[in-house]
Amino acid sequence: MSRAGRFATWPSAEACVSAASLGREMAAAAQTALMPPPFADGAAQGHGQPVIVLPGFLSPDITTARLREFLARQNFNPSCWTCGFNIGPMPHVLREIERQVRDVADAAGKPVSLVGVSLGGTIAREVAKSCLGPIARVITLVSPIHIPVTTPL
């Protein structure tokens, strides 16, 4: 047996995780990106409430464009976050989001909702702990709920 064979094995095609399953996942992701499914017609309607959308780990704002488009269609007022790629809950990232929350809330004259995807949701929860007044609610989507995150992403 080779040295590499003792440390790693490739799953069989019948395994739930294999090269074939990776191919299926990649094809499904491409299909969803090219032809996204429609949003539900009966979804909640807003009244111009400000929303800041936080992307997942190592993701830029473009990854939340469809979500922000949906929120705008539902009469919410979505904003990108101002931190570029999500590098995690670093102190300077938390301070920047707190500043953005206060600025957006002041401009709108009402509290802001935070919508965070994956690690963006964890960051939203952390920001909400120190910005209670200007935050209306925090909505997390597929987010770990504890920092430090103790499981692999």
Side-chain angles (χ1 to χ4, degrees):
M1 176 183 289
S2 72
R3 180 179 167 102
R6 289 183 292 181
F7 296 106
T9 59
W10 194 259
S12 69
E14 297 80 33
C16 59
V17 176
S18 65
S21 68
L22 176 62
R24 286 191 302 271
E25 290 295 326
M26 297 302 284
Q31 179 182 3
T32 301
L34 294 172
M35 298 182 321
F39 286 110
D41 290 330
Q45 294 288 317
H47 301 286
Q49 300 97 316
V51 178
I52 299 172
V53 181
L54 291 75
F57 183 58
L58 295 180
S59 298
D61 287 321
I62 191 68
T63 62
T64 63
R66 185 154 152 75
L67 176 56
R68 286 182 279 116
E69 178 183 302
F70 167 73
L71 291 169
R73 190 185 83 196
Q74 297 305 111
N75 201 28
F76 292 92
N77 186 11
S79 300
C80 300
W81 83 327
T82 55
C83 294
F85 281 82
N86 182 345
I87 59 170
M90 308 296 280
H92 71 279
V93 171
L94 297 173
R95 283 192 305 272
E96 174 60 21
I97 297 302
E98 289 171 8
R99 184 205 53 78
Q100 184 182 8
V101 165
R102 289 185 182 96
D103 290 351
V104 170
D106 289 346
K110 53 177 100 172
V112 177
S113 294
L114 298 177
V115 176
V117 178
S118 189
L119 194 58
T122 306
I123 292 171
R125 286 172 46 96
E126 290 301 306
V127 168
K129 292 175 184 177
S130 60
C131 271
L132 297 176
I135 295 181
R137 67 190 48 81
V138 173
I139 299 167
T140 64
L141 307 170
V142 298
S143 300
I145 58 170
H146 298 289
I147 292 182
V149 176
T150 58
T151 60
L153 296 175

